[in-house]
Amino acid sequence: MAAQPTEYDQFIDGEYTPSESDERIEVSFPYDGSVWATVPDGTEADVERAVDSARSAFESDEWRGLLPSERASILHDIADTIDDHAEELAELETRQNGKLIREMSSQMGGLGEWFRYYASQCRTHEGRTIPVESKGGEMFTYVREEPRGVVGAITPWNSPLLLTVFKLAPALAAGCTFVHKPSSYTPVSALRFAEILHEEAGLPAGVYNVVTGGGSTAGEALITHDDVDKLAFTGSTGIGRHIGKAAGEALIPASLELGGKSPNVVFPSADLDNAINGVIKGIFAATGQTCLAGSRVFVHEDVHDEFVDRFTSRTEDIELGDPLDPDTEMGPVAFRDQWETDVSYIETGVEEGATLAFGGEQPEDLPGECFLQPTILTDVDNDMTVAREEIFGPVASVITFSEEEEVIELANDTDFGLAAGVWTEDMRQARRFANRVEAGTVWINEYRTLSYNAPFGGYKDSGLGRENGKEGIDEYRRTKTVWVDESGSVDDPFKLG
Ligand code: NAD
């Protein structure tokens, strides 16, 4: 008999709290469709309580009054707690979205580094004094960077905790408090994360609250709440635009990490073994369900045929299977709707003239209804739908080019600008491409690497603001300038100066 699903409550004010709603959301394992958890389908009232709790925590001496070294110490304790729970959190992630345990284990194993890095930012944070010329130099200003306040964070399903931590670690380091609405496909890891951070890492109650629920209900209540000081969003460009409008209406800042349609460019001098591995890493890792997906593969005509042959035969060997098995190379698509979206894009590609070089089928020997073969479309033109819209699945579109100038234009001929890859042994050519491509991240002879200290974010419709690095913490601070007059007398009160 199948085990009963675990029932979770909301995590508000440092503890599990029943929702105002009786409605539940089921969480299933995409490998076989089994439901293993349920969470509340949260309401506006849940969001209200979470924001109140975050506000009280923000104003409390226990949080706001921390010295930099004390705040850093809590962040270190969080990092150690994550390390202790890395395997458990990795399994929760895989059970929610079907991503490989081998990827989620390494993500969770590295997550603590974000908190250690931002702990170092607490300890090394310094102000500025600016000598102004007023009063013959007898005035000066100093600049304070203060926490923004209560953050409303909304995250997607594809790397749930990693993308949460991109926001939470700098926000806590800056002194903010947090209300988080995770994706309704992947809410459990956030709840458990909040629990261990409060119970084992000593995070004061109310600093990190999790409200589960739908985007148009709990999500909407959070982005329109009038006591939220900053929005931090990762997700699709369409919802990001909507959140940007809500932030504009409330006159609060929003950082928006959105979709992509990234070019991955193979020049003739590329080491083809590396390039093929890099292209596979770009589009079939994580079953293509990554914002960074190198979904437009531009291949120079001189190496096109050889590249396609070798890319296809390497793709045929990709091992599909149970994402909890460390040997599996590609797991299922995260849910059936996304599977149908992927298949319909493949059909559109073929209708518009692309050739299905490999894939497009649901393998018969695997359970559930979410497996899709890694798929290669060739003869793609950059104007086709499959080259213009984000698919968010394991579908590579191969496009031929003949000149460097041409491929730079093609790479930039897109609404998106999240990332780009370039494969060449000619480093001057690589840097020319990197300088001119309109993307927030460029890899030369690699793909899909990230670090806590390297700024990350999009150009164009791929987003606003940056996560990670020093830029990441600046998103959670606001600047105050304090003027000090040491002259002892006030000038002419009727003029500016
Ligand atoms: P999505 O935009 O559908 O949902 C993201 C989150 O927004 C979810 O939590 C959802 O419940 C919430 N939401 C939906 N409607 C809302 C509303 N009206 N108000 C408030 N919240 C609302 O995205 P998804 O399908 O979960 O994730 C896939 C998308 O995320 C892809 O486009 C992908 O490229 C993007 N993504 C971007 C990055 C990045 O760093 N740039 C990283 C990962 C994923």
PDB file of all heavy atoms in Angstrom, residues 43-55 150-154 179 211 217-231 246-247 249-252:
ATOM      1  N   THR A  43      -3.775  31.565   1.352  1.00  0.00           N
ATOM      2  CA  THR A  43      -4.696  32.663   1.059  1.00  0.00           C
ATOM      3  C   THR A  43      -4.034  34.002   1.365  1.00  0.00           C
ATOM      4  O   THR A  43      -2.947  34.058   1.927  1.00  0.00           O
ATOM      5  CB  THR A  43      -5.935  32.573   1.961  1.00  0.00           C
ATOM      6  OG1 THR A  43      -5.466  32.729   3.314  1.00  0.00           O
ATOM      7  CG2 THR A  43      -6.652  31.247   1.812  1.00  0.00           C
ATOM      8  N   GLU A  44      -4.787  35.042   1.058  1.00  0.00           N
ATOM      9  CA  GLU A  44      -4.338  36.393   1.372  1.00  0.00           C
ATOM     10  C   GLU A  44      -4.110  36.526   2.886  1.00  0.00           C
ATOM     11  O   GLU A  44      -3.175  37.199   3.321  1.00  0.00           O
ATOM     12  CB  GLU A  44      -5.437  37.358   0.913  1.00  0.00           C
ATOM     13  CG  GLU A  44      -4.964  38.765   0.789  1.00  0.00           C
ATOM     14  CD  GLU A  44      -6.054  39.669   0.229  1.00  0.00           C
ATOM     15  OE1 GLU A  44      -6.957  39.172  -0.477  1.00  0.00           O
ATOM     16  OE2 GLU A  44      -5.991  40.870   0.525  1.00  0.00           O
ATOM     17  N   ALA A  45      -4.963  35.867   3.671  1.00  0.00           N
ATOM     18  CA  ALA A  45      -4.821  35.969   5.136  1.00  0.00           C
ATOM     19  C   ALA A  45      -3.504  35.339   5.596  1.00  0.00           C
ATOM     20  O   ALA A  45      -2.847  35.841   6.518  1.00  0.00           O
ATOM     21  CB  ALA A  45      -6.003  35.279   5.814  1.00  0.00           C
ATOM     22  N   ASP A  46      -3.088  34.248   4.956  1.00  0.00           N
ATOM     23  CA  ASP A  46      -1.784  33.647   5.302  1.00  0.00           C
ATOM     24  C   ASP A  46      -0.654  34.627   4.989  1.00  0.00           C
ATOM     25  O   ASP A  46       0.292  34.786   5.770  1.00  0.00           O
ATOM     26  CB  ASP A  46      -1.553  32.361   4.489  1.00  0.00           C
ATOM     27  CG  ASP A  46      -2.533  31.247   4.860  1.00  0.00           C
ATOM     28  OD1 ASP A  46      -3.098  31.293   5.964  1.00  0.00           O
ATOM     29  OD2 ASP A  46      -2.729  30.340   4.023  1.00  0.00           O
ATOM     30  N   VAL A  47      -0.759  35.255   3.825  1.00  0.00           N
ATOM     31  CA  VAL A  47       0.277  36.216   3.430  1.00  0.00           C
ATOM     32  C   VAL A  47       0.304  37.369   4.430  1.00  0.00           C
ATOM     33  O   VAL A  47       1.368  37.842   4.849  1.00  0.00           O
ATOM     34  CB  VAL A  47       0.020  36.718   1.987  1.00  0.00           C
ATOM     35  CG1 VAL A  47       0.934  37.887   1.637  1.00  0.00           C
ATOM     36  CG2 VAL A  47       0.206  35.570   0.989  1.00  0.00           C
ATOM     37  N   GLU A  48      -0.874  37.804   4.836  1.00  0.00           N
ATOM     38  CA  GLU A  48      -0.982  38.912   5.798  1.00  0.00           C
ATOM     39  C   GLU A  48      -0.220  38.569   7.092  1.00  0.00           C
ATOM     40  O   GLU A  48       0.565  39.375   7.599  1.00  0.00           O
ATOM     41  CB  GLU A  48      -2.480  39.112   6.097  1.00  0.00           C
ATOM     42  CG  GLU A  48      -2.832  40.360   6.863  1.00  0.00           C
ATOM     43  CD  GLU A  48      -2.625  41.628   6.043  1.00  0.00           C
ATOM     44  OE1 GLU A  48      -2.994  41.631   4.860  1.00  0.00           O
ATOM     45  OE2 GLU A  48      -2.049  42.584   6.597  1.00  0.00           O
ATOM     46  N   ARG A  49      -0.449  37.359   7.590  1.00  0.00           N
ATOM     47  CA  ARG A  49       0.221  36.965   8.836  1.00  0.00           C
ATOM     48  C   ARG A  49       1.729  36.870   8.628  1.00  0.00           C
ATOM     49  O   ARG A  49       2.520  37.249   9.490  1.00  0.00           O
ATOM     50  CB  ARG A  49      -0.311  35.603   9.306  1.00  0.00           C
ATOM     51  CG  ARG A  49      -1.654  35.732  10.023  1.00  0.00           C
ATOM     52  CD  ARG A  49      -2.045  34.420  10.633  1.00  0.00           C
ATOM     53  NE  ARG A  49      -2.174  33.410   9.601  1.00  0.00           N
ATOM     54  CZ  ARG A  49      -1.956  32.119   9.760  1.00  0.00           C
ATOM     55  NH1 ARG A  49      -1.572  31.661  10.922  1.00  0.00           N
ATOM     56  NH2 ARG A  49      -2.105  31.281   8.770  1.00  0.00           N
ATOM     57  N   ALA A  50       2.132  36.358   7.460  1.00  0.00           N
ATOM     58  CA  ALA A  50       3.570  36.198   7.200  1.00  0.00           C
ATOM     59  C   ALA A  50       4.253  37.570   7.091  1.00  0.00           C
ATOM     60  O   ALA A  50       5.350  37.774   7.630  1.00  0.00           O
ATOM     61  CB  ALA A  50       3.774  35.395   5.919  1.00  0.00           C
ATOM     62  N   VAL A  51       3.594  38.504   6.428  1.00  0.00           N
ATOM     63  CA  VAL A  51       4.204  39.835   6.287  1.00  0.00           C
ATOM     64  C   VAL A  51       4.253  40.529   7.658  1.00  0.00           C
ATOM     65  O   VAL A  51       5.261  41.157   8.012  1.00  0.00           O
ATOM     66  CB  VAL A  51       3.440  40.691   5.244  1.00  0.00           C
ATOM     67  CG1 VAL A  51       3.973  42.123   5.220  1.00  0.00           C
ATOM     68  CG2 VAL A  51       3.555  40.066   3.851  1.00  0.00           C
ATOM     69  N   ASP A  52       3.198  40.381   8.456  1.00  0.00           N
ATOM     70  CA  ASP A  52       3.204  40.971   9.810  1.00  0.00           C
ATOM     71  C   ASP A  52       4.375  40.411  10.626  1.00  0.00           C
ATOM     72  O   ASP A  52       5.060  41.146  11.333  1.00  0.00           O
ATOM     73  CB  ASP A  52       1.904  40.640  10.568  1.00  0.00           C
ATOM     74  CG  ASP A  52       0.747  41.484  10.064  1.00  0.00           C
ATOM     75  OD1 ASP A  52       0.989  42.397   9.248  1.00  0.00           O
ATOM     76  OD2 ASP A  52      -0.403  41.206  10.457  1.00  0.00           O
ATOM     77  N   SER A  53       4.549  39.098  10.509  1.00  0.00           N
ATOM     78  CA  SER A  53       5.617  38.461  11.266  1.00  0.00           C
ATOM     79  C   SER A  53       6.995  38.960  10.790  1.00  0.00           C
ATOM     80  O   SER A  53       7.883  39.261  11.600  1.00  0.00           O
ATOM     81  CB  SER A  53       5.484  36.946  11.080  1.00  0.00           C
ATOM     82  OG  SER A  53       6.671  36.312  11.373  1.00  0.00           O
ATOM     83  N   ALA A  54       7.150  39.075   9.471  1.00  0.00           N
ATOM     84  CA  ALA A  54       8.424  39.563   8.928  1.00  0.00           C
ATOM     85  C   ALA A  54       8.657  41.022   9.347  1.00  0.00           C
ATOM     86  O   ALA A  54       9.791  41.422   9.639  1.00  0.00           O
ATOM     87  CB  ALA A  54       8.420  39.434   7.408  1.00  0.00           C
ATOM     88  N   ARG A  55       7.587  41.805   9.398  1.00  0.00           N
ATOM     89  CA  ARG A  55       7.729  43.211   9.807  1.00  0.00           C
ATOM     90  C   ARG A  55       8.175  43.292  11.267  1.00  0.00           C
ATOM     91  O   ARG A  55       9.089  44.045  11.614  1.00  0.00           O
ATOM     92  CB  ARG A  55       6.388  43.944   9.595  1.00  0.00           C
ATOM     93  CG  ARG A  55       6.331  45.371  10.094  1.00  0.00           C
ATOM     94  CD  ARG A  55       7.337  46.296   9.437  1.00  0.00           C
ATOM     95  NE  ARG A  55       7.157  46.355   7.999  1.00  0.00           N
ATOM     96  CZ  ARG A  55       8.064  46.859   7.143  1.00  0.00           C
ATOM     97  NH1 ARG A  55       9.196  47.366   7.580  1.00  0.00           N
ATOM     98  NH2 ARG A  55       7.845  46.856   5.845  1.00  0.00           N
ATOM     99  N   VAL A 150      11.186  44.424   4.512  1.00  0.00           N
ATOM    100  CA  VAL A 150      10.545  43.122   4.287  1.00  0.00           C
ATOM    101  C   VAL A 150      10.610  42.792   2.789  1.00  0.00           C
ATOM    102  O   VAL A 150      10.143  43.568   1.947  1.00  0.00           O
ATOM    103  CB  VAL A 150       9.078  43.151   4.757  1.00  0.00           C
ATOM    104  CG1 VAL A 150       8.370  41.843   4.388  1.00  0.00           C
ATOM    105  CG2 VAL A 150       9.005  43.403   6.257  1.00  0.00           C
ATOM    106  N   VAL A 151      11.183  41.639   2.482  1.00  0.00           N
ATOM    107  CA  VAL A 151      11.307  41.197   1.084  1.00  0.00           C
ATOM    108  C   VAL A 151      10.195  40.199   0.772  1.00  0.00           C
ATOM    109  O   VAL A 151       9.948  39.271   1.551  1.00  0.00           O
ATOM    110  CB  VAL A 151      12.679  40.509   0.864  1.00  0.00           C
ATOM    111  CG1 VAL A 151      12.781  39.949  -0.556  1.00  0.00           C
ATOM    112  CG2 VAL A 151      13.814  41.463   1.169  1.00  0.00           C
ATOM    113  N   GLY A 152       9.531  40.390  -0.356  1.00  0.00           N
ATOM    114  CA  GLY A 152       8.584  39.394  -0.865  1.00  0.00           C
ATOM    115  C   GLY A 152       9.283  38.645  -1.991  1.00  0.00           C
ATOM    116  O   GLY A 152       9.639  39.241  -3.010  1.00  0.00           O
ATOM    117  N   ALA A 153       9.514  37.344  -1.805  1.00  0.00           N
ATOM    118  CA  ALA A 153      10.280  36.577  -2.793  1.00  0.00           C
ATOM    119  C   ALA A 153       9.395  35.508  -3.422  1.00  0.00           C
ATOM    120  O   ALA A 153       8.658  34.808  -2.718  1.00  0.00           O
ATOM    121  CB  ALA A 153      11.486  35.918  -2.132  1.00  0.00           C
ATOM    122  N   ILE A 154       9.491  35.382  -4.734  1.00  0.00           N
ATOM    123  CA  ILE A 154       8.687  34.395  -5.472  1.00  0.00           C
ATOM    124  C   ILE A 154       9.633  33.598  -6.361  1.00  0.00           C
ATOM    125  O   ILE A 154      10.439  34.182  -7.091  1.00  0.00           O
ATOM    126  CB  ILE A 154       7.633  35.129  -6.320  1.00  0.00           C
ATOM    127  CG1 ILE A 154       6.818  36.020  -5.393  1.00  0.00           C
ATOM    128  CG2 ILE A 154       6.790  34.137  -7.118  1.00  0.00           C
ATOM    129  CD1 ILE A 154       5.393  36.193  -5.673  1.00  0.00           C
ATOM    130  N   VAL A 179       9.532  37.027   3.189  1.00  0.00           N
ATOM    131  CA  VAL A 179       8.342  36.187   3.000  1.00  0.00           C
ATOM    132  C   VAL A 179       8.480  35.532   1.631  1.00  0.00           C
ATOM    133  O   VAL A 179       8.641  36.227   0.617  1.00  0.00           O
ATOM    134  CB  VAL A 179       7.037  37.004   3.056  1.00  0.00           C
ATOM    135  CG1 VAL A 179       5.833  36.092   2.815  1.00  0.00           C
ATOM    136  CG2 VAL A 179       6.904  37.713   4.394  1.00  0.00           C
ATOM    137  N   VAL A 211       5.012  30.927   2.661  1.00  0.00           N
ATOM    138  CA  VAL A 211       3.576  30.761   2.403  1.00  0.00           C
ATOM    139  C   VAL A 211       3.442  30.002   1.095  1.00  0.00           C
ATOM    140  O   VAL A 211       3.885  30.473   0.042  1.00  0.00           O
ATOM    141  CB  VAL A 211       2.863  32.123   2.277  1.00  0.00           C
ATOM    142  CG1 VAL A 211       1.388  31.914   1.949  1.00  0.00           C
ATOM    143  CG2 VAL A 211       3.004  32.916   3.557  1.00  0.00           C
ATOM    144  N   THR A 217      -3.093  33.624  -6.443  1.00  0.00           N
ATOM    145  CA  THR A 217      -3.736  33.842  -5.135  1.00  0.00           C
ATOM    146  C   THR A 217      -2.678  34.311  -4.119  1.00  0.00           C
ATOM    147  O   THR A 217      -2.515  35.515  -3.904  1.00  0.00           O
ATOM    148  CB  THR A 217      -4.437  32.549  -4.673  1.00  0.00           C
ATOM    149  OG1 THR A 217      -3.530  31.450  -4.838  1.00  0.00           O
ATOM    150  CG2 THR A 217      -5.673  32.290  -5.509  1.00  0.00           C
ATOM    151  N   ALA A 218      -1.942  33.355  -3.539  1.00  0.00           N
ATOM    152  CA  ALA A 218      -0.936  33.749  -2.541  1.00  0.00           C
ATOM    153  C   ALA A 218       0.133  34.657  -3.159  1.00  0.00           C
ATOM    154  O   ALA A 218       0.555  35.652  -2.551  1.00  0.00           O
ATOM    155  CB  ALA A 218      -0.292  32.497  -1.951  1.00  0.00           C
ATOM    156  N   GLY A 219       0.565  34.313  -4.389  1.00  0.00           N
ATOM    157  CA  GLY A 219       1.598  35.124  -5.047  1.00  0.00           C
ATOM    158  C   GLY A 219       1.127  36.557  -5.254  1.00  0.00           C
ATOM    159  O   GLY A 219       1.824  37.525  -4.935  1.00  0.00           O
ATOM    160  N   GLU A 220      -0.086  36.674  -5.786  1.00  0.00           N
ATOM    161  CA  GLU A 220      -0.641  38.004  -6.062  1.00  0.00           C
ATOM    162  C   GLU A 220      -0.783  38.804  -4.755  1.00  0.00           C
ATOM    163  O   GLU A 220      -0.495  40.009  -4.714  1.00  0.00           O
ATOM    164  CB  GLU A 220      -2.003  37.828  -6.758  1.00  0.00           C
ATOM    165  CG  GLU A 220      -2.574  39.059  -7.389  1.00  0.00           C
ATOM    166  CD  GLU A 220      -1.817  39.565  -8.615  1.00  0.00           C
ATOM    167  OE1 GLU A 220      -1.218  38.769  -9.360  1.00  0.00           O
ATOM    168  OE2 GLU A 220      -1.838  40.799  -8.804  1.00  0.00           O
ATOM    169  N   ALA A 221      -1.223  38.114  -3.685  1.00  0.00           N
ATOM    170  CA  ALA A 221      -1.385  38.811  -2.396  1.00  0.00           C
ATOM    171  C   ALA A 221      -0.038  39.341  -1.905  1.00  0.00           C
ATOM    172  O   ALA A 221       0.029  40.426  -1.309  1.00  0.00           O
ATOM    173  CB  ALA A 221      -1.986  37.849  -1.360  1.00  0.00           C
ATOM    174  N   LEU A 222       1.025  38.593  -2.171  1.00  0.00           N
ATOM    175  CA  LEU A 222       2.346  39.037  -1.710  1.00  0.00           C
ATOM    176  C   LEU A 222       2.859  40.224  -2.524  1.00  0.00           C
ATOM    177  O   LEU A 222       3.354  41.206  -1.962  1.00  0.00           O
ATOM    178  CB  LEU A 222       3.331  37.854  -1.779  1.00  0.00           C
ATOM    179  CG  LEU A 222       4.739  38.102  -1.263  1.00  0.00           C
ATOM    180  CD1 LEU A 222       4.732  38.607   0.185  1.00  0.00           C
ATOM    181  CD2 LEU A 222       5.578  36.828  -1.351  1.00  0.00           C
ATOM    182  N   ILE A 223       2.700  40.144  -3.844  1.00  0.00           N
ATOM    183  CA  ILE A 223       3.281  41.227  -4.663  1.00  0.00           C
ATOM    184  C   ILE A 223       2.486  42.530  -4.551  1.00  0.00           C
ATOM    185  O   ILE A 223       2.996  43.584  -4.889  1.00  0.00           O
ATOM    186  CB  ILE A 223       3.457  40.824  -6.151  1.00  0.00           C
ATOM    187  CG1 ILE A 223       2.106  40.566  -6.832  1.00  0.00           C
ATOM    188  CG2 ILE A 223       4.378  39.642  -6.296  1.00  0.00           C
ATOM    189  CD1 ILE A 223       2.197  40.470  -8.345  1.00  0.00           C
ATOM    190  N   THR A 224       1.248  42.450  -4.072  1.00  0.00           N
ATOM    191  CA  THR A 224       0.449  43.683  -3.943  1.00  0.00           C
ATOM    192  C   THR A 224       0.309  44.111  -2.474  1.00  0.00           C
ATOM    193  O   THR A 224      -0.407  45.068  -2.181  1.00  0.00           O
ATOM    194  CB  THR A 224      -0.964  43.485  -4.537  1.00  0.00           C
ATOM    195  OG1 THR A 224      -1.558  42.313  -3.955  1.00  0.00           O
ATOM    196  CG2 THR A 224      -0.915  43.312  -6.046  1.00  0.00           C
ATOM    197  N   HIS A 225       0.988  43.416  -1.570  1.00  0.00           N
ATOM    198  CA  HIS A 225       0.865  43.773  -0.155  1.00  0.00           C
ATOM    199  C   HIS A 225       1.544  45.125   0.098  1.00  0.00           C
ATOM    200  O   HIS A 225       2.665  45.342  -0.334  1.00  0.00           O
ATOM    201  CB  HIS A 225       1.506  42.680   0.702  1.00  0.00           C
ATOM    202  CG  HIS A 225       1.107  42.773   2.135  1.00  0.00           C
ATOM    203  ND1 HIS A 225       1.480  43.823   2.952  1.00  0.00           N
ATOM    204  CD2 HIS A 225       0.332  41.967   2.906  1.00  0.00           C
ATOM    205  CE1 HIS A 225       0.956  43.653   4.155  1.00  0.00           C
ATOM    206  NE2 HIS A 225       0.250  42.527   4.139  1.00  0.00           N
ATOM    207  N   ASP A 226       0.856  46.011   0.836  1.00  0.00           N
ATOM    208  CA  ASP A 226       1.421  47.362   0.958  1.00  0.00           C
ATOM    209  C   ASP A 226       2.491  47.483   2.040  1.00  0.00           C
ATOM    210  O   ASP A 226       3.025  48.567   2.262  1.00  0.00           O
ATOM    211  CB  ASP A 226       0.310  48.407   1.159  1.00  0.00           C
ATOM    212  CG  ASP A 226      -0.471  48.159   2.434  1.00  0.00           C
ATOM    213  OD1 ASP A 226      -0.075  47.257   3.203  1.00  0.00           O
ATOM    214  OD2 ASP A 226      -1.464  48.872   2.663  1.00  0.00           O
ATOM    215  N   ASP A 227       2.822  46.375   2.728  1.00  0.00           N
ATOM    216  CA  ASP A 227       3.899  46.476   3.712  1.00  0.00           C
ATOM    217  C   ASP A 227       5.141  45.690   3.287  1.00  0.00           C
ATOM    218  O   ASP A 227       5.998  45.369   4.101  1.00  0.00           O
ATOM    219  CB  ASP A 227       3.394  45.985   5.083  1.00  0.00           C
ATOM    220  CG  ASP A 227       4.231  46.563   6.215  1.00  0.00           C
ATOM    221  OD1 ASP A 227       4.854  47.638   6.014  1.00  0.00           O
ATOM    222  OD2 ASP A 227       4.286  45.942   7.291  1.00  0.00           O
ATOM    223  N   VAL A 228       5.222  45.379   2.001  1.00  0.00           N
ATOM    224  CA  VAL A 228       6.433  44.732   1.467  1.00  0.00           C
ATOM    225  C   VAL A 228       7.298  45.829   0.846  1.00  0.00           C
ATOM    226  O   VAL A 228       6.803  46.696   0.137  1.00  0.00           O
ATOM    227  CB  VAL A 228       6.044  43.659   0.423  1.00  0.00           C
ATOM    228  CG1 VAL A 228       7.258  43.162  -0.338  1.00  0.00           C
ATOM    229  CG2 VAL A 228       5.347  42.490   1.109  1.00  0.00           C
ATOM    230  N   ASP A 229       8.607  45.784   1.147  1.00  0.00           N
ATOM    231  CA  ASP A 229       9.506  46.867   0.721  1.00  0.00           C
ATOM    232  C   ASP A 229      10.297  46.552  -0.537  1.00  0.00           C
ATOM    233  O   ASP A 229      10.892  47.436  -1.132  1.00  0.00           O
ATOM    234  CB  ASP A 229      10.508  47.164   1.839  1.00  0.00           C
ATOM    235  CG  ASP A 229       9.803  47.551   3.123  1.00  0.00           C
ATOM    236  OD1 ASP A 229       9.028  48.515   3.093  1.00  0.00           O
ATOM    237  OD2 ASP A 229      10.015  46.871   4.146  1.00  0.00           O
ATOM    238  N   LYS A 230      10.358  45.285  -0.891  1.00  0.00           N
ATOM    239  CA  LYS A 230      11.132  44.905  -2.084  1.00  0.00           C
ATOM    240  C   LYS A 230      10.640  43.559  -2.598  1.00  0.00           C
ATOM    241  O   LYS A 230      10.314  42.678  -1.802  1.00  0.00           O
ATOM    242  CB  LYS A 230      12.617  44.782  -1.714  1.00  0.00           C
ATOM    243  CG  LYS A 230      13.438  44.482  -2.955  1.00  0.00           C
ATOM    244  CD  LYS A 230      14.652  43.677  -2.741  1.00  0.00           C
ATOM    245  CE  LYS A 230      15.109  42.935  -3.973  1.00  0.00           C
ATOM    246  NZ  LYS A 230      15.285  43.671  -5.207  1.00  0.00           N
ATOM    247  N   LEU A 231      10.583  43.427  -3.918  1.00  0.00           N
ATOM    248  CA  LEU A 231      10.192  42.139  -4.506  1.00  0.00           C
ATOM    249  C   LEU A 231      11.407  41.506  -5.177  1.00  0.00           C
ATOM    250  O   LEU A 231      12.212  42.209  -5.823  1.00  0.00           O
ATOM    251  CB  LEU A 231       9.083  42.334  -5.537  1.00  0.00           C
ATOM    252  CG  LEU A 231       7.747  42.840  -4.968  1.00  0.00           C
ATOM    253  CD1 LEU A 231       6.761  43.138  -6.107  1.00  0.00           C
ATOM    254  CD2 LEU A 231       7.134  41.834  -3.991  1.00  0.00           C
ATOM    255  N   ALA A 246       3.511  45.614 -10.712  1.00  0.00           N
ATOM    256  CA  ALA A 246       3.049  45.750  -9.318  1.00  0.00           C
ATOM    257  C   ALA A 246       4.070  46.554  -8.516  1.00  0.00           C
ATOM    258  O   ALA A 246       3.700  47.411  -7.697  1.00  0.00           O
ATOM    259  CB  ALA A 246       2.832  44.370  -8.695  1.00  0.00           C
ATOM    260  N   ALA A 247       5.348  46.288  -8.760  1.00  0.00           N
ATOM    261  CA  ALA A 247       6.392  47.023  -8.038  1.00  0.00           C
ATOM    262  C   ALA A 247       6.361  48.495  -8.430  1.00  0.00           C
ATOM    263  O   ALA A 247       6.516  49.387  -7.582  1.00  0.00           O
ATOM    264  CB  ALA A 247       7.755  46.412  -8.343  1.00  0.00           C
ATOM    265  N   GLU A 249       3.776  50.198  -9.410  1.00  0.00           N
ATOM    266  CA  GLU A 249       2.590  50.795  -8.779  1.00  0.00           C
ATOM    267  C   GLU A 249       2.875  51.141  -7.315  1.00  0.00           C
ATOM    268  O   GLU A 249       2.493  52.200  -6.827  1.00  0.00           O
ATOM    269  CB  GLU A 249       1.437  49.777  -8.884  1.00  0.00           C
ATOM    270  CG  GLU A 249       0.085  50.275  -8.506  1.00  0.00           C
ATOM    271  CD  GLU A 249      -0.388  51.434  -9.381  1.00  0.00           C
ATOM    272  OE1 GLU A 249      -0.120  51.446 -10.610  1.00  0.00           O
ATOM    273  OE2 GLU A 249      -1.002  52.326  -8.796  1.00  0.00           O
ATOM    274  N   ALA A 250       3.575  50.232  -6.632  1.00  0.00           N
ATOM    275  CA  ALA A 250       3.864  50.450  -5.204  1.00  0.00           C
ATOM    276  C   ALA A 250       5.127  51.279  -4.989  1.00  0.00           C
ATOM    277  O   ALA A 250       5.468  51.601  -3.849  1.00  0.00           O
ATOM    278  CB  ALA A 250       4.021  49.094  -4.509  1.00  0.00           C
ATOM    279  N   LEU A 251       5.823  51.587  -6.075  1.00  0.00           N
ATOM    280  CA  LEU A 251       7.102  52.298  -6.004  1.00  0.00           C
ATOM    281  C   LEU A 251       8.097  51.597  -5.075  1.00  0.00           C
ATOM    282  O   LEU A 251       8.679  52.202  -4.178  1.00  0.00           O
ATOM    283  CB  LEU A 251       6.894  53.758  -5.592  1.00  0.00           C
ATOM    284  CG  LEU A 251       6.235  54.611  -6.662  1.00  0.00           C
ATOM    285  CD1 LEU A 251       5.998  56.031  -6.177  1.00  0.00           C
ATOM    286  CD2 LEU A 251       7.074  54.634  -7.938  1.00  0.00           C
ATOM    287  N   ILE A 252       8.235  50.310  -5.286  1.00  0.00           N
ATOM    288  CA  ILE A 252       9.270  49.557  -4.584  1.00  0.00           C
ATOM    289  C   ILE A 252      10.132  48.856  -5.639  1.00  0.00           C
ATOM    290  O   ILE A 252       9.665  48.597  -6.747  1.00  0.00           O
ATOM    291  CB  ILE A 252       8.683  48.519  -3.584  1.00  0.00           C
ATOM    292  CG1 ILE A 252       7.748  47.520  -4.297  1.00  0.00           C
ATOM    293  CG2 ILE A 252       7.964  49.216  -2.444  1.00  0.00           C
ATOM    294  CD1 ILE A 252       7.294  46.374  -3.410  1.00  0.00           C
TER     295      ILE A 252
END
